[in-house]
C-alpha cells in the first residue's frame, strides 16, 4: 500500500512500531542480530490506530540506517547485512518515527549452500516442480523434479547427475543451462521464471560455484515454520506484509519470507506477491493465506469488515446465534430479519424431511399463536418417518450403497434399511460409524458389511473413512507429502494399516461376501521406503496391537474419542452444509489447517456440543434449526448481498431430487 493510499487516514494513527515478531510478544521490538553474509530479516512497520488496532505501513514509510554502511534496507523492509558492527534502523511517516537496533557479525563468512534447505524452495516458489511443469509424473521435456520438492535427493540426482551434467556449469555458473532457461535467455517452455537480479538467482549461482553441494547428513532440517502476524482485522483494499520464519532441528531460525510460497484460499478476496505482501480487494469476509516452505505450512488469516454499524439483531436463541451475531458485529454486517412463518415451515420441512409441507400442516401451523410453535414443529418433523427416509437417502449415497449387478439387490436394500432404522431410532453417530468401519459377518446378519462391497481394498477403505468421517482428504499423501497439509506418506500408510487384516470369502448368496478379521500383525508397506508401518491415528503414535486384535476396532475407538480433533467437527460441518448450503469449512470434506473455517469458534462450539450430547444427530439438527441464524430471511439487505461466509442471511439452494 502506497503512502498516498493512507494519507487520508493518517489522523487515525497515534504511533509507529518496528518489529518482526507478534506485536503482543514481550520482545517484539528487540534488536536484530544478523550473522553471516547470508543473513536476512524482514521487518514490519505497524501503525497504532486510535481504535487500538494496527495497520501495516511497511511499504509506506521511509527507512534510514545510521551509520549507512552497516546494513541495507530495501523499500519492502528486508534487512541485509553489509559490514560488521551495530546500527540503528528508523522508519518515519506522518511526522512520527520508530526505531530498532541491529547488530551485524561475521559478515565475511560464506556458508556452504544446502540443497534441500535452500535450493529446492527456489524451484517450488518459481513453480518449476509443480504438477503442471517438471513436477508432474514423467517430468517435462526430459527434465523431472519431485512434486513440490518433497524428494530432494531425487531432485539432486536429476539436476546434477542426469544428462551428463549438462544442466550446470561450475566453471561459469551464469552460463549454466538451468539459469539461462530460468531467466529467459534461452527458449524455455515454461517462460521466464526468475529475475537475474533476484536473491534466488544469485543463490543458485553461488551454489553452482561451490560445486553443487548437497549438504551434510548432520545439517539441520526444517521442523516448522511460523508466520507473523497470524491474523489481523483489515480494511478493504489495504495490504499486510508477512514475516515467515523457519525453525530448524538444531534450534536455529531463519527468515524465509522471500523464499516461501503463498496461496490465498479465495483469489477473489486477496492476492499475495512474491515478497509476502497480502493485498485485499473490495470484498468483505474472511480470507486465509497458506504459506508453504519445503514440506511445512502455516496460515495467515485476515478478517475484512464491511464496516456498517450493527444496531439491531434478531433474538439470540442459542450459542449458534451468539457466535454468528458476534462475528457479524465484528465485520460490521447487519443481518436480514427472521423470516415469516410460511417461509420457515416450507424451509424446515424441506431440509428435515425432503418434502413440502401438506396443506393441512400449513393451516394448522399458521393458526397457532404459541411462541414455541417453531420449536414444536422441528420436534414433530424429527419424529416423522420422513426425517429418517430423507437422511437415510443422504447417508446411503455417501456410503456408496449401490448395486452394480442384480446380485447386489438384497444387500443394497438391507444396508439402506439399516441406515434408516438407525436414524429413526437416533442411534449415536459414534456407534453408527463404528458399526460401519468395523463391520464383520454377512449382509443378512450385519448389513453394514455392504460398505466393503464398494471399498474393495485398503486404499479405498482408508480414503473413504478419512474423508467421510474425519473430513480429511488423504489421497495425495499416498505418493508424496500432502501439498496442503502436514500428512506424510508415513501417516497415510499408518492409517492404511488399520484395514490390512480385512478378509473376504464367499457369502451364502451369489455375489455376496463375508467380511472377517484375519489373524496376524496389522501393518502396511510404504511404497516409497518399502518399510512396514504399524496402525496409527492421524498425528498419533502407532498402536500396539496383538495378532488377535482387529485393528479396525482400535481405529473406531480412536475416532469416537470426544477429544478427537477430526470426528465431531467433520460431522457438524457436513450437517451445517446441508442446512445452510455452505459449510463452515468449504468444501465440507476438506478440513485442514490451510483451509480454516469462516467462523472457527462456531465450529469448535458445535463440535463440542455434539460430542457432549453423546453424538446425538437429532439434537444437532434441533440445535441448528432452532437458531435464529437458520431462521433468517433469504432476502438480502443493502449490506449483506455480497455475503457468502458469515451467514448474515439464509442462502437459497436448489431442491434435492
Amino acid at each position: 500500500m502506497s503512502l498516498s493510499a493512507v494519507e487520508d487516514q493518517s489522523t487515525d494513527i497515534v504511533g509507529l512500531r518496528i518489529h518482526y515478531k507478534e506485536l503482543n510478544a514481550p520482545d517484539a521490538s528487540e534488536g536484530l542480530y544478523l550473522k553471516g553474509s547470508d543473513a536476512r530479516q524482514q521487518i514490519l512497520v505497524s501503525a497504532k490506530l486510535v481504535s487500538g488496532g494496527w495497520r501495516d505501513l511497511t511499504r509506506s514509510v521511509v527507512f534510514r540506517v545510521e551509520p549507512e554502511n552497516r546494513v541495507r534496507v530495501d523499500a519492502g523492509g528486508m534487512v541485509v547485512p553489509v559490514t560488521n558492527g551495530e546500527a540503528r534502523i528508523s522508519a518515519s511517516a506522518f511526522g512520527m518515527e520508530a526505531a530498532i537496533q541491529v547488530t551485524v557479525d561475521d559478515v565475511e563468512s560464506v556458508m556452504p549452500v544446502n540443497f534441500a534447505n535452500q535450493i529446492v524452495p527456489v524451484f517450488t516458489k518459481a513453480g518449476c516442480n509443480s504438477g503442471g511443469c517438471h513436477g508432474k509424473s514423467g517430468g517435462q521435456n526430459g527434465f523431472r523434479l519431485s512434486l513440490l520438492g518433497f524428494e530432494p535427493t531425487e531432485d539432486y540426482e536429476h539436476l546434477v547427475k542426469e544428462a551428463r551434467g549438462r544442466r550446470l556449469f561450475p566453471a561459469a555458473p551464469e552460463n549454466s543451462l538451468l539459469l539461462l532457461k530460468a531467466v529467459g535467455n534461452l527458449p524455455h517452455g515454461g517462460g521466464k521464471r526468475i529475475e537475474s537480479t533476484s536473491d534466488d538467482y544469485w543463490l543458485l549461482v553461488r551454489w553452482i560455484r561451490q560445486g553443487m553441494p548437497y549438504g551434510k547428513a548432520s545439517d539441520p532440517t526444517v521442523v516448522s515454520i511460523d508466520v507473523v502476524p497470524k491474523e489481523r482485522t483489515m480494511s478493504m483494499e489495504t495490504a499486510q506484509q508477512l514475516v515467515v520464519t523457519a525453525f530448524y532441528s538444531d534450534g536455529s531460525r531463519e527468515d524465509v519470507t522471500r523464499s516461501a510460497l503463498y496461496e490465498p484460499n479465495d483469489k477473489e478476496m486477496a492476492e499475495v506477491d512474491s515478497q509476502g505482501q497480502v493485498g485485499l480487494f473490495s470484498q468483505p469476509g474472511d480470507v486465509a493465506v497458506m504459506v508453504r516452505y519445503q514440506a511445512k505450512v502455516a496460515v495467515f488469516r485476515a478478517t475484512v469488515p464491511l464496516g456498517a454499524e450493527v444496531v439491531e439483531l434478531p433474538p439470540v436463541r442459542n450459542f449458534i446465534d451468539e457466535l454468528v451475531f458476534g462475528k457479524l458485529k465484528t465485520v460490521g454486517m447487519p443481518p436480514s430479519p427472521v423470516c415469516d412463518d410460511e417461509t420457515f415451515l416450507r424451509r424446515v420441512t424441506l431440509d428435515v424431511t425432503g418434502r413440502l409441507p401438506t396443506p393441512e400442516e400449513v393451516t394448522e401451523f399458521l393458526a397457532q399463536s404459541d411462541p414455541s410453535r417453531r420449536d414444536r414443529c422441528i420436534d414433530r418433523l424429527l419424529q416423522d418417518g420422513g426425517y429418517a427416509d430423507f437422511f437415510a437417502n443422504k447417508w446411503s449415497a455417501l456410503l456408496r450403497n449401490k448395486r452394480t449387478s442384480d446380485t447386489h439387490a438384497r444387500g443394497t436394500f438391507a444396508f439402506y434399511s439399516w441406515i434408516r432404522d438407525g436414524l429413526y431410532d437416533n442411534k449415536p453417530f459414534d456407534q453408527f460409524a463404528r458399526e460401519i468401519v468395523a463391520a464383520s459377518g454377512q449382509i443378512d446378519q450385519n448389513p453394514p458389511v455392504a460398505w466393503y462391497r464398494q471399498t474393495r481394498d485398503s486404499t479405498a477403505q482408508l480414503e473413504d473413512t478419512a474423508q467421510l468421517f474425519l473430513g480429511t482428504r488423504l489421497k495425495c499423501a499416498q505418493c508424496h507429502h500432502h501439498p496442503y497439509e502436514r500428512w506424510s506418506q508415513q501417516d497415510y500408510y499408518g492409517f492404511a494399516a488399520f484395514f490390512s487384516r480385512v478378509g473376504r470369502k464367499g457369502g451364502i448368496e451369489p455375489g455376496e461376501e463375508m467380511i472377517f478379521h484375519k489373524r496376524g500383525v496389522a501393518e502396511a508397506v510404504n511404497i516409497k521406503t518399502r518399510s512396514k508401518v504399524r496402525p496409527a491415528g492421524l498425528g498419533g503414535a502407532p498402536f500396539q496391537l496383538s495378532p488377535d486384535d482387529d485393528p479396525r476396532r482400535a481405529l473406531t475407538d480412536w475416532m469416537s474419542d470426544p477429544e478427537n480433533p477430526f470426528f465431531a467437527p467433520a460431522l457438524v460441518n457436513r450437517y451445517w452444509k446441508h442446512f445452510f448450503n455452505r459449510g463452515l469449512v468449504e468444501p465440507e470434506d476438506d478440513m485442514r489447517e490451510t483451509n480454516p473455517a469462516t467462523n472457527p469458534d462456531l465450529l469448535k462450539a458445535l463440535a463440542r456440543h455434539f460430542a457432549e450430547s453423546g453424538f446425538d444427530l437429532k439434537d444437532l439438527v434441533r440445535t441448528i434449526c432452532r437458531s435464529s441464524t437458520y431462521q433468517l430471511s433469504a432476502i438480502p439487505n443493502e449490506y449483506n448481498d455480497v455475503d457468502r461466509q458469515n451467514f448474515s442471511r439464509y442462502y437459497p439452494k436448489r431442491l434435492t431430487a
Side-chain angles (χ1 to χ4, degrees):
M1 182 172 57
S2 65
L3 186 60
S4 60
V6 295
E7 281 180 346
D8 57 343
Q9 302 176 24
S10 61
T11 54
D12 295 336
I13 299 174
V14 295
L16 301 180
R17 189 172 188 181
I18 298 180
H19 61 107
Y20 60 95
K21 298 181 180 179
E22 294 287 0
L23 277 167
N24 56 2
D27 56 354
S29 295
E30 68 179 0
L32 294 176
Y33 178 67
L34 303 178
K35 183 176 182 178
S37 59
D38 289 342
R40 299 286 187 273
Q41 182 61 59
Q42 174 71 49
I43 57 176
L44 302 176
V45 181
S46 296
K48 181 74 171 180
L49 306 180
V50 174
S51 63
W54 296 89
R55 180 187 304 144
D56 180 58
L57 292 183
T58 303
R59 299 194 188 182
S60 305
V61 299
V62 176
F63 289 106
R64 186 166 55 253
V65 180
E66 300 172 340
E68 294 183 359
N69 66 342
R70 194 70 68 217
V71 297
R72 185 173 67 253
V73 186
D74 67 16
M78 181 61 74
V79 183
V80 179
V82 179
T83 61
N84 292 331
E86 296 184 350
R88 180 179 183 268
I89 302 173
S90 62
S92 58
F94 310 120
M96 291 173 276
E97 182 180 275
I100 190 172
Q101 293 296 124
V102 58
T103 301
V104 179
D105 188 20
D106 203 19
V107 74
E108 62 279 356
S109 68
V110 178
M111 300 297 292
V113 178
N114 182 285
F115 179 78
N117 288 345
Q118 296 170 272
I119 300 302
V120 172
V122 174
F123 297 141
T124 303
K125 185 177 181 181
C128 305
N129 55 22
S130 67
C133 198
H134 298 288
K136 69 182 180 183
S137 178
Q140 183 89 346
N141 295 329
F143 179 36
R144 182 158 58 99
L145 293 170
S146 65
L147 182 65
L148 301 177
F150 292 138
E151 299 295 340
T153 55
E154 294 181 7
D155 293 341
Y156 187 81
E157 186 81 17
H158 299 319
L159 185 61
V160 177
K161 300 180 181 180
E162 272 187 359
R164 300 180 181 178
R166 63 188 287 268
R167 299 187 176 104
L168 304 172
F169 189 18
E174 292 91 336
N175 292 328
S176 296
L177 182 63
L178 174 76
L179 293 178
L180 292 174
K181 286 196 170 190
V183 299
N185 289 344
L186 284 179
H188 179 219
K192 187 176 183 179
R193 307 311 300 177
I194 60 175
E195 297 290 340
S196 60
T197 56
S198 67
D199 288 344
D200 289 341
Y201 176 84
W202 288 108
L203 176 64
L204 289 167
V205 168
R206 187 155 60 86
W207 174 66
I208 298 170
R209 184 173 289 132
Q210 290 180 0
M212 298 89 69
Y214 182 83
K216 301 176 183 177
S218 59
D219 285 350
T221 57
V222 177
V223 294
S224 66
I225 65 171
D226 183 59
V227 62
V228 171
K230 290 180 174 57
E231 57 184 39
R232 181 157 282 187
T233 299
M234 301 169 61
S235 302
M236 290 181 279
E237 298 185 335
T238 60
Q240 174 64 55
Q241 176 66 47
L242 303 180
V243 176
V244 183
T245 305
F247 295 88
Y248 290 84
S249 54
D250 64 351
S252 62
R253 51 188 290 168
E254 177 187 16
D255 182 281
V256 295
T257 303
R258 297 193 180 179
S259 301
L261 185 68
Y262 304 90
E263 185 175 339
N265 69 343
D266 189 338
K267 292 180 173 60
E268 294 183 356
M269 285 192 63
E271 62 181 358
V272 191
D273 67 17
S274 61
Q275 297 183 355
Q277 186 188 55
V278 181
L280 298 180
F281 303 135
S282 55
Q283 183 172 329
D286 289 88
V287 64
V289 175
M290 180 189 68
V291 185
R292 182 195 294 123
Y293 184 74
Q294 294 192 39
K296 308 302 179 184
V297 293
V299 178
F300 163 74
R301 287 188 48 133
T303 297
V304 188
L306 179 65
E309 185 179 3
V310 180
V311 179
E312 295 185 7
L313 288 168
V316 174
R317 308 200 66 202
N318 57 26
F319 68 89
I320 292 177
D321 297 333
E322 291 175 356
L323 294 167
V324 171
F325 296 161
K327 180 73 178 293
L328 293 179
K329 284 184 177 180
T330 300
V331 302
M333 184 175 292
S336 297
V338 172
C339 66
D340 57 39
D341 283 346
E342 293 91 335
T343 301
F344 167 78
L345 181 61
R346 180 178 184 274
R347 177 187 302 169
V348 74
T349 306
L350 280 167
D351 284 348
V352 175
T353 66
R355 63 171 176 83
L356 289 168
T358 65
E360 293 76 18
E361 287 174 326
V362 174
T363 301
E364 180 184 354
F365 181 73
L366 296 181
Q368 299 175 22
S369 58
D370 184 355
S372 64
R373 61 187 179 279
R374 294 193 180 191
D375 290 351
R376 289 191 287 105
C377 174
I378 296 166
D379 292 338
R380 175 179 58 80
L381 292 172
L382 285 171
Q383 298 306 316
D384 189 284
Y387 156 75
D389 294 337
F390 184 43
F391 276 82
N393 190 56
K394 176 186 180 74
W395 278 105
S396 196
L398 290 171
L399 292 166
R400 299 207 230 177
N401 184 28
K402 59 184 179 181
R403 51 180 174 176
T404 53
S405 72
D406 291 340
T407 58
H408 290 171
R410 188 172 82 128
T412 301
F413 283 111
F415 193 17
Y416 173 84
S417 297
W418 178 88
I419 295 170
R420 195 260 181 204
D421 291 345
L423 291 168
Y424 186 82
D425 296 334
N426 202 25
K427 179 183 295 182
F429 184 68
D430 61 328
Q431 181 182 344
F432 179 83
R434 182 188 302 273
E435 292 177 2
I436 294 169
V437 174
S440 293
Q442 299 193 71
I443 283 175
D444 61 331
Q445 302 164 339
N446 194 18
V449 298
W451 181 67
Y452 284 92
R453 187 169 61 198
Q454 300 300 331
T455 54
R456 301 298 303 176
D457 54 37
S458 61
T459 296
Q461 291 152 11
L462 82 93
E463 290 175 4
D464 266 34
T465 300
Q467 192 165 340
L468 180 58
F469 294 115
L470 305 176
T472 302
R473 299 183 182 185
L474 287 180
K475 188 176 183 64
C476 291
Q478 180 180 11
C479 302
H480 51 76
H481 195 290
H482 198 299
Y484 306 115
E485 258 285 16
R486 62 184 186 272
W487 310 128
S488 65
Q489 283 182 290
Q490 199 75 356
D491 293 309
Y492 181 92
Y493 289 103
F495 208 76
F498 285 115
F499 297 96
S500 62
R501 308 308 303 170
V502 175
R504 300 171 185 269
K505 62 182 180 180
I508 60 174
E509 294 287 341
E512 295 181 357
E513 294 176 314
M514 171 182 283
I515 302 299
F516 64 96
H517 163 243
K518 296 185 296 185
R519 186 181 184 278
V521 177
E523 58 190 14
V525 177
N526 187 322
I527 60 171
K528 193 76 176 181
T529 65
R530 308 311 301 175
S531 61
K532 295 180 179 180
V533 187
R534 291 293 187 94
L538 295 178
F543 285 83
Q544 301 300 319
L545 304 175
S546 74
D548 292 323
D549 292 330
D550 187 340
R552 297 175 302 161
R553 295 188 180 278
L555 171 61
T556 55
D557 288 343
W558 171 80
M559 285 195 335
S560 60
D561 187 320
E563 300 301 319
N564 186 295
F566 310 104
F567 186 68
L571 186 282
V572 300
N573 187 61
R574 186 179 295 280
Y575 269 48
W576 188 270
K577 169 89 178 255
H578 172 84
F579 287 100
F580 288 91
N581 201 29
R582 190 201 191 284
L584 292 164
V585 176
E586 190 70 22
E588 72 272 23
D589 55 4
D590 191 16
M591 303 176 72
R592 47 187 162 83
E593 181 185 356
T594 53
N595 185 31
T598 57
N599 193 327
D601 292 338
L602 176 57
L603 180 62
K604 290 178 184 176
L606 272 171
R608 183 172 59 250
H609 175 84
F610 181 53
E612 291 175 350
S613 73
F615 301 102
D616 187 323
L617 289 171
K618 285 188 178 180
D619 177 77
L620 177 63
V621 172
R622 185 181 296 110
T623 301
I624 291 174
C625 294
R626 283 185 172 183
S627 69
S628 290
T629 302
Y630 173 74
Q631 298 178 23
L632 294 178
S633 171
I635 300 173
N637 56 39
E638 60 181 306
Y639 303 104
N640 66 3
D641 184 41
V642 297
D643 177 37
R644 297 293 183 274
Q645 297 182 344
N646 298 298
F647 309 99
S648 61
R649 59 187 174 87
Y650 184 81
Y651 303 145
K653 56 181 180 287
R654 293 179 178 179
L655 296 177
T656 62

